[in-house]
Amino acid sequence: MSADESRGENATARGVAMAREKLAQAKADAAKRGQLPRREPRRKAKGPRREAGDPQLFGRAIADLLADRGWERPAAVGAVFGRWPEIVGPDLAAHTKPESFDDGEVLILADSTAWATQVRLLARTLVRRLNEELGDGTVTKVKVRGPQNAPRPSGGLRVTGSRGPGDTYG
């Protein structure tokens, strides 16, 4: 065994001992306050037990389905995208649209370069507002994409009737 390995094991042992000591201290403090954890098992709720095949409330069944399939976050993001005008306001929503959510990054499409610039300026506020809806730290970045068709350059070097750079010239 090397010296580095023995130092690592000693540090781990010291950490475990310190954790046990702190736990014992916390239990002693709780005992002084009369707040020791229960030793007896909790009583079961009175009334009829619900079997697996029994009907459930619809909202509860949907929540369980989302949790079982791991769809909670995509469903929450979809809900935010569906309520976009409520979240960002009608003016901004009229000119922007959330496109995708991937690894904490929301892609927003703007219908003009002016609105794309406005969204970039509001990015921090938008991240904060989206995190209020989705949970803290869910959204880390807002990426904005403006219109994809830039205006054609004017000038005398254009061929009348051409379709621009997409033309095959043939």
Side-chain angles (χ1 to χ4, degrees), residues 87-135:
I87 294 170
V88 299
D91 294 335
L92 189 61
H95 299 282
T96 61
K97 178 177 91 169
E99 180 69 18
S100 65
F101 175 78
D102 191 31
D103 292 331
E105 180 177 286
V106 175
L107 175 63
I108 298 174
L109 302 180
D111 62 4
S112 70
T113 55
W115 280 103
T117 302
Q118 182 69 20
V119 173
R120 285 184 191 104
L121 292 172
L122 293 171
R124 273 192 177 164
T125 306
L126 204 51
V127 166
R128 181 182 47 78
R129 182 69 180 101
L130 291 171
N131 280 330
E132 286 173 5
E133 294 288 327
L134 296 170

Short mmCIF file of all heavy atoms in Angstrom, two decimals, residues 87-135:
data_model
loop_
_atom_site.label_atom_id
_atom_site.label_comp_id
_atom_site.label_asym_id
_atom_site.label_seq_id
_atom_site.Cartn_x
_atom_site.Cartn_y
_atom_site.Cartn_z
N ILE A 87 -46.92 33.82 -19.33
CA ILE A 87 -45.63 33.90 -18.63
C ILE A 87 -44.85 35.15 -19.04
O ILE A 87 -44.31 35.85 -18.20
CB ILE A 87 -44.81 32.62 -18.87
CG1 ILE A 87 -45.52 31.44 -18.20
CG2 ILE A 87 -43.39 32.76 -18.35
CD1 ILE A 87 -44.97 30.10 -18.55
N VAL A 88 -44.79 35.43 -20.36
CA VAL A 88 -43.96 36.55 -20.82
C VAL A 88 -44.76 37.80 -21.14
O VAL A 88 -44.18 38.86 -21.38
CB VAL A 88 -43.12 36.16 -22.05
CG1 VAL A 88 -42.19 35.02 -21.71
CG2 VAL A 88 -43.99 35.83 -23.24
N GLY A 89 -46.06 37.69 -21.18
CA GLY A 89 -46.89 38.84 -21.51
C GLY A 89 -47.32 38.80 -22.97
O GLY A 89 -46.64 38.22 -23.81
N PRO A 90 -48.45 39.44 -23.28
CA PRO A 90 -49.00 39.35 -24.64
C PRO A 90 -48.13 40.03 -25.70
O PRO A 90 -48.07 39.55 -26.83
CB PRO A 90 -50.37 40.03 -24.52
CG PRO A 90 -50.30 40.86 -23.28
CD PRO A 90 -49.31 40.20 -22.39
N ASP A 91 -47.46 41.15 -25.36
CA ASP A 91 -46.64 41.84 -26.36
C ASP A 91 -45.47 40.99 -26.81
O ASP A 91 -45.23 40.82 -28.01
CB ASP A 91 -46.13 43.18 -25.81
CG ASP A 91 -47.25 44.16 -25.55
OD1 ASP A 91 -48.30 44.04 -26.22
OD2 ASP A 91 -47.09 45.05 -24.69
N LEU A 92 -44.73 40.47 -25.85
CA LEU A 92 -43.56 39.64 -26.19
C LEU A 92 -44.00 38.34 -26.85
O LEU A 92 -43.38 37.88 -27.81
CB LEU A 92 -42.73 39.37 -24.94
CG LEU A 92 -41.39 38.71 -25.14
CD1 LEU A 92 -40.49 39.57 -26.01
CD2 LEU A 92 -40.71 38.45 -23.81
N ALA A 93 -45.10 37.75 -26.37
CA ALA A 93 -45.58 36.48 -26.92
C ALA A 93 -46.06 36.64 -28.36
O ALA A 93 -45.99 35.68 -29.13
CB ALA A 93 -46.70 35.92 -26.06
N ALA A 94 -46.53 37.84 -28.74
CA ALA A 94 -47.00 38.06 -30.11
C ALA A 94 -45.85 38.00 -31.11
O ALA A 94 -46.08 37.74 -32.29
CB ALA A 94 -47.71 39.40 -30.20
N HIS A 95 -44.62 38.21 -30.66
CA HIS A 95 -43.48 38.27 -31.57
C HIS A 95 -42.43 37.20 -31.31
O HIS A 95 -41.41 37.14 -32.00
CB HIS A 95 -42.82 39.65 -31.48
CG HIS A 95 -43.75 40.76 -31.87
ND1 HIS A 95 -44.04 41.04 -33.17
CD2 HIS A 95 -44.46 41.62 -31.11
CE1 HIS A 95 -44.88 42.06 -33.21
NE2 HIS A 95 -45.17 42.40 -31.97
N THR A 96 -42.65 36.36 -30.30
CA THR A 96 -41.69 35.30 -29.99
C THR A 96 -42.43 33.99 -29.77
O THR A 96 -43.62 33.97 -29.50
CB THR A 96 -40.89 35.63 -28.71
OG1 THR A 96 -41.79 35.74 -27.61
CG2 THR A 96 -40.08 36.90 -28.87
N LYS A 97 -41.65 32.90 -29.87
CA LYS A 97 -42.22 31.57 -29.66
C LYS A 97 -41.11 30.66 -29.13
O LYS A 97 -40.03 30.61 -29.70
CB LYS A 97 -42.74 31.04 -31.00
CG LYS A 97 -43.31 29.65 -30.94
CD LYS A 97 -43.85 29.24 -32.29
CE LYS A 97 -42.77 28.55 -33.07
NZ LYS A 97 -43.22 27.89 -34.28
N PRO A 98 -41.37 29.94 -28.02
CA PRO A 98 -40.37 28.99 -27.55
C PRO A 98 -40.32 27.80 -28.51
O PRO A 98 -41.36 27.26 -28.89
CB PRO A 98 -40.87 28.60 -26.17
CG PRO A 98 -42.33 28.83 -26.22
CD PRO A 98 -42.56 29.96 -27.17
N GLU A 99 -39.13 27.43 -28.91
CA GLU A 99 -38.98 26.35 -29.89
C GLU A 99 -38.60 25.02 -29.24
O GLU A 99 -39.16 23.99 -29.55
CB GLU A 99 -37.92 26.75 -30.92
CG GLU A 99 -37.67 25.73 -31.99
CD GLU A 99 -38.84 25.58 -32.96
OE1 GLU A 99 -39.71 26.46 -33.01
OE2 GLU A 99 -38.88 24.55 -33.64
N SER A 100 -37.61 25.05 -28.34
CA SER A 100 -37.15 23.80 -27.75
C SER A 100 -36.52 24.05 -26.39
O SER A 100 -36.16 25.17 -26.05
CB SER A 100 -36.14 23.11 -28.67
OG SER A 100 -34.97 23.89 -28.78
N PHE A 101 -36.38 22.95 -25.63
CA PHE A 101 -35.71 22.97 -24.33
C PHE A 101 -34.78 21.78 -24.31
O PHE A 101 -35.23 20.64 -24.50
CB PHE A 101 -36.71 22.88 -23.19
CG PHE A 101 -36.07 22.78 -21.84
CD1 PHE A 101 -35.55 23.90 -21.23
CD2 PHE A 101 -35.96 21.56 -21.20
CE1 PHE A 101 -34.93 23.81 -19.99
CE2 PHE A 101 -35.35 21.45 -19.97
CZ PHE A 101 -34.84 22.59 -19.36
N ASP A 102 -33.47 22.04 -24.12
CA ASP A 102 -32.51 20.95 -24.12
C ASP A 102 -31.35 21.29 -23.19
O ASP A 102 -30.71 22.33 -23.36
CB ASP A 102 -31.99 20.71 -25.55
CG ASP A 102 -31.19 19.43 -25.67
OD1 ASP A 102 -31.48 18.47 -24.93
OD2 ASP A 102 -30.26 19.40 -26.50
N ASP A 103 -31.10 20.44 -22.21
CA ASP A 103 -29.99 20.61 -21.27
C ASP A 103 -29.97 22.00 -20.64
O ASP A 103 -28.93 22.65 -20.57
CB ASP A 103 -28.65 20.34 -21.95
CG ASP A 103 -28.48 18.89 -22.33
OD1 ASP A 103 -29.07 18.04 -21.63
OD2 ASP A 103 -27.78 18.61 -23.31
N GLY A 104 -31.12 22.46 -20.18
CA GLY A 104 -31.18 23.74 -19.49
C GLY A 104 -31.20 24.95 -20.41
O GLY A 104 -31.19 26.08 -19.95
N GLU A 105 -31.23 24.74 -21.71
CA GLU A 105 -31.20 25.84 -22.67
C GLU A 105 -32.53 25.91 -23.42
O GLU A 105 -32.97 24.94 -24.01
CB GLU A 105 -30.06 25.63 -23.66
CG GLU A 105 -29.94 26.73 -24.68
CD GLU A 105 -28.75 26.52 -25.60
OE1 GLU A 105 -27.62 26.72 -25.15
OE2 GLU A 105 -28.99 26.12 -26.75
N VAL A 106 -33.16 27.09 -23.37
CA VAL A 106 -34.41 27.31 -24.07
C VAL A 106 -34.09 28.09 -25.35
O VAL A 106 -33.43 29.12 -25.30
CB VAL A 106 -35.41 28.12 -23.21
CG1 VAL A 106 -36.66 28.45 -23.99
CG2 VAL A 106 -35.76 27.34 -21.96
N LEU A 107 -34.57 27.57 -26.48
CA LEU A 107 -34.41 28.25 -27.76
C LEU A 107 -35.70 29.00 -28.06
O LEU A 107 -36.78 28.41 -28.08
CB LEU A 107 -34.11 27.26 -28.88
CG LEU A 107 -34.04 27.84 -30.29
CD1 LEU A 107 -32.89 28.85 -30.41
CD2 LEU A 107 -33.88 26.74 -31.31
N ILE A 108 -35.57 30.30 -28.29
CA ILE A 108 -36.73 31.15 -28.57
C ILE A 108 -36.57 31.73 -29.96
O ILE A 108 -35.52 32.27 -30.31
CB ILE A 108 -36.84 32.27 -27.52
CG1 ILE A 108 -37.04 31.66 -26.14
CG2 ILE A 108 -37.99 33.22 -27.88
CD1 ILE A 108 -37.04 32.64 -25.02
N LEU A 109 -37.64 31.63 -30.76
CA LEU A 109 -37.65 32.20 -32.10
C LEU A 109 -38.34 33.55 -32.05
O LEU A 109 -39.41 33.69 -31.45
CB LEU A 109 -38.41 31.29 -33.07
CG LEU A 109 -37.89 29.87 -33.22
CD1 LEU A 109 -38.76 29.11 -34.21
CD2 LEU A 109 -36.46 29.87 -33.66
N ALA A 110 -37.72 34.55 -32.69
CA ALA A 110 -38.30 35.88 -32.76
C ALA A 110 -38.63 36.18 -34.22
O ALA A 110 -37.94 35.74 -35.13
CB ALA A 110 -37.33 36.92 -32.22
N ASP A 111 -39.70 36.98 -34.45
CA ASP A 111 -40.12 37.24 -35.82
C ASP A 111 -39.40 38.41 -36.47
O ASP A 111 -39.59 38.67 -37.65
CB ASP A 111 -41.63 37.40 -35.92
CG ASP A 111 -42.16 38.58 -35.12
OD1 ASP A 111 -41.35 39.33 -34.54
OD2 ASP A 111 -43.39 38.75 -35.08
N SER A 112 -38.55 39.10 -35.73
CA SER A 112 -37.74 40.16 -36.32
C SER A 112 -36.45 40.30 -35.51
O SER A 112 -36.35 39.84 -34.37
CB SER A 112 -38.50 41.50 -36.31
OG SER A 112 -38.61 41.99 -34.99
N THR A 113 -35.47 40.95 -36.12
CA THR A 113 -34.20 41.14 -35.41
C THR A 113 -34.38 42.06 -34.21
O THR A 113 -33.69 41.91 -33.21
CB THR A 113 -33.14 41.70 -36.36
OG1 THR A 113 -33.63 42.89 -36.95
CG2 THR A 113 -32.77 40.70 -37.43
N ALA A 114 -35.31 43.00 -34.32
CA ALA A 114 -35.56 43.91 -33.19
C ALA A 114 -36.10 43.13 -31.98
O ALA A 114 -35.65 43.34 -30.85
CB ALA A 114 -36.54 44.99 -33.60
N TRP A 115 -37.04 42.23 -32.22
CA TRP A 115 -37.57 41.43 -31.11
C TRP A 115 -36.54 40.43 -30.61
O TRP A 115 -36.50 40.12 -29.42
CB TRP A 115 -38.87 40.75 -31.52
CG TRP A 115 -40.02 41.69 -31.45
CD1 TRP A 115 -40.63 42.30 -32.50
CD2 TRP A 115 -40.65 42.17 -30.27
NE1 TRP A 115 -41.62 43.13 -32.03
CE2 TRP A 115 -41.66 43.06 -30.66
CE3 TRP A 115 -40.48 41.93 -28.91
CZ2 TRP A 115 -42.48 43.72 -29.76
CZ3 TRP A 115 -41.30 42.59 -28.01
CH2 TRP A 115 -42.29 43.47 -28.43
N ALA A 116 -35.69 39.91 -31.48
CA ALA A 116 -34.62 39.01 -31.03
C ALA A 116 -33.68 39.75 -30.09
O ALA A 116 -33.27 39.22 -29.05
CB ALA A 116 -33.86 38.46 -32.23
N THR A 117 -33.35 41.00 -30.43
CA THR A 117 -32.50 41.81 -29.57
C THR A 117 -33.19 42.07 -28.24
O THR A 117 -32.56 42.01 -27.17
CB THR A 117 -32.15 43.15 -30.25
OG1 THR A 117 -31.49 42.85 -31.49
CG2 THR A 117 -31.26 44.00 -29.39
N GLN A 118 -34.49 42.36 -28.27
CA GLN A 118 -35.24 42.62 -27.04
C GLN A 118 -35.21 41.39 -26.13
O GLN A 118 -35.01 41.52 -24.92
CB GLN A 118 -36.68 42.99 -27.39
CG GLN A 118 -37.55 43.32 -26.21
CD GLN A 118 -37.14 44.62 -25.52
OE1 GLN A 118 -36.47 45.45 -26.11
NE2 GLN A 118 -37.53 44.75 -24.28
N VAL A 119 -35.38 40.21 -26.69
CA VAL A 119 -35.37 38.99 -25.89
C VAL A 119 -33.97 38.76 -25.31
O VAL A 119 -33.83 38.34 -24.16
CB VAL A 119 -35.83 37.77 -26.71
CG1 VAL A 119 -35.65 36.48 -25.94
CG2 VAL A 119 -37.28 37.93 -27.10
N ARG A 120 -32.94 39.06 -26.08
CA ARG A 120 -31.57 38.91 -25.56
C ARG A 120 -31.35 39.84 -24.37
O ARG A 120 -30.66 39.48 -23.41
CB ARG A 120 -30.55 39.20 -26.66
CG ARG A 120 -30.43 38.08 -27.65
CD ARG A 120 -29.35 38.33 -28.69
NE ARG A 120 -29.45 37.36 -29.75
CZ ARG A 120 -29.94 37.61 -30.96
NH1 ARG A 120 -30.37 38.82 -31.28
NH2 ARG A 120 -30.02 36.65 -31.86
N LEU A 121 -31.91 41.04 -24.44
CA LEU A 121 -31.77 41.98 -23.33
C LEU A 121 -32.56 41.51 -22.10
O LEU A 121 -32.18 41.82 -20.97
CB LEU A 121 -32.24 43.37 -23.75
CG LEU A 121 -31.38 44.08 -24.79
CD1 LEU A 121 -32.04 45.36 -25.25
CD2 LEU A 121 -29.99 44.38 -24.22
N LEU A 122 -33.64 40.79 -22.32
CA LEU A 122 -34.48 40.29 -21.23
C LEU A 122 -34.10 38.88 -20.79
O LEU A 122 -34.84 38.27 -20.01
CB LEU A 122 -35.95 40.31 -21.66
CG LEU A 122 -36.58 41.66 -21.90
CD1 LEU A 122 -37.95 41.50 -22.53
CD2 LEU A 122 -36.67 42.43 -20.61
N ALA A 123 -33.00 38.35 -21.28
CA ALA A 123 -32.65 36.95 -21.04
C ALA A 123 -32.58 36.60 -19.55
O ALA A 123 -33.12 35.57 -19.13
CB ALA A 123 -31.33 36.61 -21.73
N ARG A 124 -31.94 37.43 -18.74
CA ARG A 124 -31.83 37.13 -17.31
C ARG A 124 -33.20 37.06 -16.65
O ARG A 124 -33.48 36.17 -15.86
CB ARG A 124 -31.00 38.19 -16.60
CG ARG A 124 -29.55 37.95 -16.63
CD ARG A 124 -28.89 38.89 -15.67
NE ARG A 124 -27.48 38.62 -15.64
CZ ARG A 124 -26.59 39.44 -15.16
NH1 ARG A 124 -26.99 40.58 -14.65
NH2 ARG A 124 -25.33 39.12 -15.15
N THR A 125 -34.02 38.05 -16.96
CA THR A 125 -35.36 38.07 -16.39
C THR A 125 -36.16 36.86 -16.84
O THR A 125 -36.90 36.25 -16.07
CB THR A 125 -36.09 39.37 -16.81
OG1 THR A 125 -35.29 40.48 -16.45
CG2 THR A 125 -37.45 39.48 -16.17
N LEU A 126 -35.99 36.49 -18.09
CA LEU A 126 -36.70 35.34 -18.65
C LEU A 126 -36.25 34.04 -17.99
O LEU A 126 -37.07 33.18 -17.66
CB LEU A 126 -36.48 35.29 -20.15
CG LEU A 126 -37.49 34.57 -21.00
CD1 LEU A 126 -38.89 35.01 -20.70
CD2 LEU A 126 -37.18 34.78 -22.46
N VAL A 127 -34.95 33.89 -17.76
CA VAL A 127 -34.44 32.69 -17.07
C VAL A 127 -35.03 32.61 -15.67
O VAL A 127 -35.49 31.55 -15.24
CB VAL A 127 -32.89 32.70 -17.02
CG1 VAL A 127 -32.37 31.68 -16.04
CG2 VAL A 127 -32.32 32.46 -18.39
N ARG A 128 -35.05 33.74 -14.96
CA ARG A 128 -35.61 33.76 -13.60
C ARG A 128 -37.09 33.39 -13.61
O ARG A 128 -37.54 32.56 -12.83
CB ARG A 128 -35.42 35.14 -12.97
CG ARG A 128 -35.94 35.23 -11.55
CD ARG A 128 -35.81 36.62 -10.95
NE ARG A 128 -36.26 37.70 -11.79
CZ ARG A 128 -37.55 38.04 -11.99
NH1 ARG A 128 -38.50 37.35 -11.42
NH2 ARG A 128 -37.87 39.06 -12.76
N ARG A 129 -37.84 33.95 -14.55
CA ARG A 129 -39.28 33.69 -14.64
C ARG A 129 -39.56 32.23 -15.00
O ARG A 129 -40.46 31.61 -14.44
CB ARG A 129 -39.91 34.63 -15.67
CG ARG A 129 -41.39 34.49 -15.81
CD ARG A 129 -42.11 34.99 -14.56
NE ARG A 129 -43.53 34.85 -14.73
CZ ARG A 129 -44.26 33.87 -14.21
NH1 ARG A 129 -43.68 32.96 -13.45
NH2 ARG A 129 -45.54 33.80 -14.42
N LEU A 130 -38.80 31.69 -15.93
CA LEU A 130 -38.99 30.28 -16.30
C LEU A 130 -38.62 29.35 -15.16
O LEU A 130 -39.27 28.32 -14.95
CB LEU A 130 -38.18 29.96 -17.56
CG LEU A 130 -38.68 30.61 -18.85
CD1 LEU A 130 -37.68 30.40 -19.97
CD2 LEU A 130 -40.04 30.11 -19.23
N ASN A 131 -37.60 29.70 -14.39
CA ASN A 131 -37.22 28.87 -13.23
C ASN A 131 -38.28 28.94 -12.14
O ASN A 131 -38.43 28.00 -11.37
CB ASN A 131 -35.85 29.28 -12.70
CG ASN A 131 -34.74 28.67 -13.52
OD1 ASN A 131 -34.88 27.59 -14.08
ND2 ASN A 131 -33.62 29.37 -13.60
N GLU A 132 -39.00 30.06 -12.04
CA GLU A 132 -40.11 30.13 -11.10
C GLU A 132 -41.19 29.12 -11.48
O GLU A 132 -41.83 28.53 -10.62
CB GLU A 132 -40.73 31.53 -11.09
CG GLU A 132 -39.88 32.57 -10.39
CD GLU A 132 -40.45 33.98 -10.56
OE1 GLU A 132 -41.56 34.13 -11.12
OE2 GLU A 132 -39.79 34.91 -10.11
N GLU A 133 -41.39 28.92 -12.76
CA GLU A 133 -42.41 27.99 -13.24
C GLU A 133 -41.95 26.54 -13.19
O GLU A 133 -42.73 25.66 -12.87
CB GLU A 133 -42.80 28.34 -14.69
CG GLU A 133 -43.48 29.66 -14.85
CD GLU A 133 -44.90 29.67 -14.30
OE1 GLU A 133 -45.57 28.63 -14.37
OE2 GLU A 133 -45.33 30.72 -13.81
N LEU A 134 -40.69 26.28 -13.53
CA LEU A 134 -40.20 24.91 -13.69
C LEU A 134 -39.41 24.38 -12.51
O LEU A 134 -39.14 23.19 -12.44
CB LEU A 134 -39.32 24.83 -14.95
CG LEU A 134 -40.03 25.09 -16.27
CD1 LEU A 134 -39.02 25.21 -17.39
CD2 LEU A 134 -41.02 23.99 -16.56
N GLY A 135 -38.97 25.24 -11.64
CA GLY A 135 -38.12 24.81 -10.54
C GLY A 135 -36.75 25.42 -10.69
O GLY A 135 -36.23 25.57 -11.80
#
